[in-house]
Amino acid sequence: MRARVEVGPSSYERAGSLRRRRQDALALGLLALVLVVAQGIYWVVGTPEAQGAAYVGSRVLSTAVFAYGVARTRPALRGERRLLLAAMLLWLVGDVVVAHQAVRSVSLDSWSSTSLVGILSYLCLFAALVGMARREGIVPGAAVVLDVVLCAVSLSVVWWLLIGQQILLAPGGSDLRSLLVSSYPLCDVLAIAGAVAVLSARSAHEWCTRALALSAMVDVVADIWFGYFVVGLTDTWYWPPALWMVQSVLLAAAAVLSGRPVREPSSRVSRSGVLMMVGAVVAPMMTIAVQIMVGRAPSTPSSVVLSLVGTAVMVVLVCVRVLILVRRLEKQANELEQTARTDELTQLPNRRAGMRLLHDSIGQVEQGRLAGLTVALLDLDHFKSFNDTHGHLQGDRLLRAAGLSWASVIGPGDMLFRYGGEEFVVIMPEGTVAETRAVLQRMRRATPRSQTFSAGITSLRAGDTAEDVIGRADASLYAAKAAGRDRSCISA
């Protein structure tokens, strides 16, 4: 009789995962093919009709692949992905028309009718990116607002150097249509803000997030270049549509990559985000340097002053950003140090911290800053039986309550730490044996649940180390247990 083999759910899941990976790989391959073919037609054929067809075809196919990625993304992120899809569709009916007409006839007649569509697309893009960042969770300490302001200042200064001053400072001024088109890159502040948000999220290391941020960067460059062409400072009008094709392909690739799992990063700091901030700081000065190299220096001294002021503002923002980071690191270091020195159960100093306190106290005695030192090592009686009877959870509660009660009755200069298990150590600088016994009596009365403890007491002797003191106290503790428990013994 033939054995029947059943395929478990895990096998189906593995098969489904492999199938999805293959489909995603095909989608990414299609995007790469679309970009290569569209760019090839755009640059090689070179006629306005061919360029327009390549541009529109690339946008349509990228939008279709993006819709495929939205359908396969995680349900929790589908709302944000749909907003991105809405932005792409708006670009398809608005920005495509404007850019396509500009490629074909170098005309901006349709700008007035499609400017609102373009603004709505940026609003959708901004809402989607910020929503994704909030859903994934912003990394603690990420100063998103500061980073957005820094990038916005940088983009505004670059826009003024390349475009704004040519329009607003022109002798006869410019027509409203050219002003609208050349000011359009300022809408990219929304795209930059969204990119900063996603690069500050916990998913900043994922390829889909990097693709989204890179698409926003490409869009900024394309819009600035397009505005530069509008004001007549360059005749290379064919570059912006080529960059917009790259932007749409990056958006589609981000949607396809959104469902791909990634390994946990070794650092929450996004290198892409750091590079973005560095680029924002150096962009104004680099723009001036390039303008001087190509013979297009800023037309007025006020433009240089504005760029210097903008750079100074960005430097201040970076300093504030670094200060916030340093303070956060200091706070985390203090918290880590406190955690390393604190017993997790009783919240008293742990053995390492306690032995350090004992060592420091011995050093103060040797330096003559303390007259003497007395130490008591105490141990809860029959703690193992208590655990066996009441359970380990109740045993932990007893240790915690005992530590809190004992800490409240010792003297203000005395120290109590957990040595290990149910053993605790009391350090009494300048305390005598009699004073130590009196403190232990108060601790006995404060012990919760009518429990008792045994203790060994010793005083510091010349040449003693911390280990010597604990060793003698431990021997006295065993003597107290041997004598019947619930008592204190003093080392000879």
Side-chain angles (χ1 to χ4, degrees), residues 10-24:
S10 58
S11 300
Y12 284 117
E13 290 175 1
R14 286 195 297 269
S17 176
L18 181 60
R19 183 171 61 253
R20 285 193 297 271
R21 285 179 175 273
R22 289 175 178 173
Q23 292 172 350
D24 291 346

Side-chain angles (χ1 to χ4, degrees), residues 352-373:
R352 175 180 295 179
M355 293 300 289
R356 171 58 61 183
L357 292 172
L358 178 57
H359 176 79
D360 292 344
S361 298
I362 293 173
Q364 293 183 47
V365 173
E366 293 173 347
Q367 295 169 9
R369 297 166 60 185
L370 291 176
L373 179 70

Side-chain angles (χ1 to χ4, degrees), residues 148-205:
V148 168
V149 173
L150 188 150
C151 290
V153 171
S154 176
L155 181 58
S156 300
V157 172
V158 171
W159 172 83
W160 174 261
L161 291 172
L162 293 177
I163 304 169
Q165 63 176 334
Q166 306 298 332
I167 297 177
L168 300 180
L169 300 180
S174 299
D175 60 276
L176 178 61
R177 187 175 300 149
S178 297
L179 181 61
L180 285 173
V181 176
S182 59
S183 301
Y184 197 59
L186 294 180
C187 295
D188 288 317
V189 171
L190 293 174
I192 293 294
V196 170
V198 296
L199 289 177
S200 301
R202 298 183 186 277
S203 60
H205 297 79

Side-chain angles (χ1 to χ4, degrees), residues 25-170:
L26 287 175
L28 292 174
L30 175 62
L31 280 175
L33 180 62
V34 166
L35 183 60
V36 170
V37 172
Q39 294 283 354
I41 295 174
Y42 189 87
W43 293 104
V44 175
V45 178
T47 63
E49 293 77 9
Q51 289 175 328
Y55 180 77
V56 173
S58 171
R59 287 290 231 182
V60 170
L61 289 174
S62 297
T63 304
V65 175
F66 189 94
Y68 158 82
V70 170
R72 299 173 63 82
T73 194
R74 288 178 290 168
L77 291 175
R78 282 180 185 167
E80 287 76 14
R81 303 291 178 184
R82 286 167 183 164
L83 276 175
L84 283 175
L85 180 59
M88 293 190 73
L89 290 172
L90 287 169
W91 271 318
L92 198 58
V93 300
D95 191 37
V96 170
V97 174
V98 176
H100 182 54
Q101 188 169 355
V103 169
R104 295 191 61 181
S105 58
V106 197
S107 171
L108 303 172
D109 294 334
S110 61
W111 172 260
S112 300
S113 60
T114 57
S115 58
L116 180 59
V117 176
I119 293 174
L120 287 176
S121 66
Y122 279 105
L123 290 174
C124 290
L125 175 65
F126 172 76
L129 294 180
V130 173
M132 289 173 55
R134 292 184 62 184
R135 194 177 296 276
E136 295 289 347
I138 301 295
V139 174
V144 179
V145 175
L146 278 177
D147 293 345
V148 168
V149 173
L150 188 150
C151 290
V153 171
S154 176
L155 181 58
S156 300
V157 172
V158 171
W159 172 83
W160 174 261
L161 291 172
L162 293 177
I163 304 169
Q165 63 176 334
Q166 306 298 332
I167 297 177
L168 300 180
L169 300 180

Side-chain angles (χ1 to χ4, degrees), residues 4 26 65 88-89 134 137 139 197 279 290 307-308 335 346 348:
R4 190 168 125 189
L26 287 175
V65 175
M88 293 190 73
L89 290 172
R134 292 184 62 184
V139 174
V290 172
S307 63
L308 291 175
E335 291 175 350
T346 63
L348 295 172

